[in-house]
Amino acid sequence: MPSWSDTVRFAFQPVVNLTTGGVTALEILARPETGDILAQARRDPELDGRLAALAVRAAARKETLLPLHVNVFAGTLADLGGLAALREAVRAAGRSPWEVTVDIGPPYTHVPQHALLEAVAALRGHGFRICADGVGDGDVPLRLLTDLAPELVKLDVSLLARPAAVRAMRTLCEQLGALLSVEGVETELQCSAAVAAGAQLAQGDLFAPPARLPAADVYVPVLSPGVAPTPPPGPSVLQFVRPAALLPATASAGRVRALLTGSPDVSGVLLVDPAGVPVRSVHRSRFLLSMSGPFGHALYADRPAAKLGDPPRTVGVDATAWEVLDVVADGERDRTSDDVAVVDRHGRCVGVVRLADLVRALSESRVEEAAGLNPLTRLPGSDVITTEVDRRIAHGLVFALSWLDVDHFKQVNDGAGFAAGDELIRAVGRALQLAASGATRVGHIGGDDFLVLADPDTLDPLARSMLDAPWSAGGRPVTLSLATILCAPGSVSDHREAAACLAPLKQAAKSLSGASWVLGRPGLPGCEIRRGSGAARARAG
């Protein structure tokens, strides 16, 4: 009589890095040919644990070098503790625990939380990584999610329709030091929304459906530059992490050579100690050159590969892309093409970063940024501001969009000369940059017109700084006008509607004498006069 294990096959679905477009891991999915063994596994922790072990053995038969994601139910962990069957399968497959992420899935109802947290701590002690799976479509309590402190959080794609929730989850991930992934992505629109929400990883049929063989290539749509928010002072190194080719520090040169010749996409091998900490870095070209020289194979094949390696260059998971470039720049010149290992707080390798990925991404962002700068003030133009307006609208944020300009600027140019007018514009631009704080964005859209995108609570100090300052051009005193539209979530559909609401406010501000500031809200008539002629804070019809 056939065993239940004979009726289970496994499929592999790639987890895609949305920045590099590469496959960062493979999730192993059980696909029973008959019956509903997954429903049984939900009720039977022993069965669920054996399925996880079988998944690792299935991956070993496919000889994939990619990190693996293995699914278990929360109740299984709470009941079985450290998953001895999974640990034994990983050891027998010749894999290291830190190459395996345990995706913990719902239901969490009635699962003893203390037992679950103890089991997670035990898995981490062995080196496994932890993922909270099914968030947004399951019953994981928020408090438990923070206690789990997972290295990865997987959101259900349906949550993209609720951008405020995704934004909150991205903030939580940043606090926990976790990556954010979206699963179930089927369309390019969903992919763009995932990037805009700040997700670093994704999986779904858009990239590659589950298949019996690990996918060699995936489809990643070309995304518009500037879609994803980039936190200062630079993009996180986690956006660029690729899987690392890892071997024990004691590996022979012959074993490294076999890995490199059988995997042409691998640019180097990291030799790690039993805890997963990199101890030597083997560069593909230099290593193969040494092995291919006269008597190279005879000299080195059976000797430790570490003798042909170099000290690894590492950065922490909280590093920025610019910090990685600093590490490369401070190293030896002949090692600029070496991979940089990314390590967690325990020093264990979580992947590598290639210099080419960093240079490409950072140079593209700089080119895009430079192309949009106003040549007079070196401030970005309207495209940067309107893109950010649309992002804040999509995320359900309150924001204030302001239009600032110089009163009677043509007369300034005619009376004081264009050189004095240009200097005034540069001075206004510098002052705006100095006054901007937090998430405030400043743009120069041409002539004497500036756009300011800010949080409402930063408006007053910015307005005081700009409107109270004594401005002049060629010895002639000048004043500034400021018009602001305060947009609540759902009040405008896109930046075009926000700009249309702002236009009459600008005219209202220009109709006042002296330095002026008016504020309005979409859908409400009139405006509030905050500065300029007329009763303070009165409503203007």
Side-chain angles (χ1 to χ4, degrees), residues 88-412:
E88 172 57 27
V90 170
R91 187 199 63 77
R95 301 299 292 261
S96 301
W98 50 86
E99 297 178 88
V100 179
T101 298
V102 178
D103 287 13
I104 307 173
Y108 288 84
T109 304
H110 308 308
V111 173
Q113 295 190 8
H114 183 70
L116 175 60
L117 293 174
E118 283 189 342
V120 167
L123 284 175
R124 278 207 175 95
H126 290 290
F128 290 90
R129 305 187 189 283
I130 302 299
C131 166
D133 200 359
V135 175
D137 195 38
D139 60 346
V140 55
L142 188 58
R143 183 175 64 183
L144 177 60
L145 183 61
T146 58
D147 290 342
L148 286 173
E151 284 79 18
L152 175 64
V153 172
K154 286 187 177 181
L155 296 185
D156 186 80
V157 70
S158 63
L159 213 60
L160 292 176
R162 298 164 176 82
V166 180
R167 184 174 70 252
M169 193 55 59
R170 169 62 192 259
T171 301
L172 177 61
C173 286
E174 290 174 353
Q175 294 296 318
L176 296 176
L179 291 175
L180 183 63
S181 180
V182 176
E183 53 185 350
V185 175
E186 297 180 349
T187 68
E188 293 192 6
L189 186 61
Q190 289 174 338
C191 183
S192 295
V195 174
Q200 295 99 345
L201 307 175
Q203 61 188 108
D205 288 355
L206 173 69
F207 311 107
R212 293 292 174 86
L213 293 176
D217 298 302
V218 294
Y219 169 74
V220 179
V222 177
L223 300 170
S224 301
V227 171
T230 301
S236 167
V237 69
L238 292 176
Q239 296 182 28
F240 303 93
V241 170
R242 291 175 176 266
L246 304 177
L247 285 176
T250 55
S252 68
R255 186 175 177 185
V256 172
R257 182 176 183 274
L259 189 156
L260 291 175
T261 54
S263 307
D265 293 335
V266 173
S267 54
V269 175
L270 286 174
L271 305 178
V272 297
D273 68 12
V277 177
V279 294
R280 299 294 282 179
S281 173
V282 178
H283 183 267
R284 180 187 188 90
S285 298
R286 293 197 300 273
F287 174 85
L288 292 179
L289 184 63
S290 298
M291 292 289 288
S292 62
F295 312 109
H297 189 272
L299 285 173
Y300 297 116
D302 296 325
R303 299 180 65 184
K307 294 185 177 297
L308 296 176
D310 299 288
R313 294 188 295 186
T314 62
V315 295
V317 292
D318 56 350
T320 68
W322 295 109
E323 290 173 308
V324 179
L325 291 183
D326 289 340
V327 170
V328 174
D330 291 342
E332 300 171 23
R333 183 169 298 181
D334 62 350
R335 295 190 61 194
T336 54
S337 63
D338 287 19
D339 295 340
V340 176
V342 181
V343 298
D344 63 14
R345 61 182 180 274
H346 302 294
R348 299 179 302 209
C349 180
V350 301
V352 295
V353 175
R354 294 181 181 176
L355 179 63
D357 289 338
L358 295 182
V359 172
R360 185 183 306 111
L362 295 176
S363 63
E364 286 175 356
S365 67
R366 284 293 183 259
V367 168
E368 290 290 334
E369 180 182 332
L373 296 181
N374 185 284
L376 186 60
T377 59
R378 309 304 296 168
L379 288 173
S382 60
D383 286 349
V384 171
I385 304 300
T386 54
T387 297
E388 179 63 13
V389 167
D390 286 340
R391 189 189 72 82
R392 297 193 188 191
I393 291 172
H395 282 66
L397 299 176
V398 178
F399 65 89
L401 182 63
S402 299
W403 194 330
L404 180 139
D405 70 348
V406 178
D407 295 328
H408 312 296
F409 184 65
K410 185 177 185 306
Q411 296 178 21
V412 171

Side-chain angles (χ1 to χ4, degrees), residues 442-463:
V442 177
H444 183 191
I445 59 177
D448 63 323
D449 293 314
F450 294 85
L451 282 179
V452 181
L453 177 61
D455 294 332
D457 57 0
T458 65
L459 275 176
D460 284 337
L462 185 143

Side-chain angles (χ1 to χ4, degrees), residues 9-14 23 26-29 58-59 61-64 66 208-218:
R9 299 293 181 265
F10 291 91
F12 301 87
Q13 185 167 46
V23 177
L26 292 172
E27 181 174 357
I28 316 171
L29 303 167
R61 289 193 293 271
K62 304 302 181 184
E63 298 183 347
T64 176
L66 288 166
R212 293 292 174 86
L213 293 176
D217 298 302
V218 294

Side-chain angles (χ1 to χ4, degrees), residues 492-519:
V492 290
S493 59
D494 58 21
H495 71 270
R496 297 176 184 84
E497 187 175 352
C501 295
L502 188 57
L505 296 177
K506 178 188 177 185
Q507 297 305 315
K510 300 297 287 184
S511 68
L512 302 174
S513 60
S516 61
W517 179 21
V518 301
L519 184 145

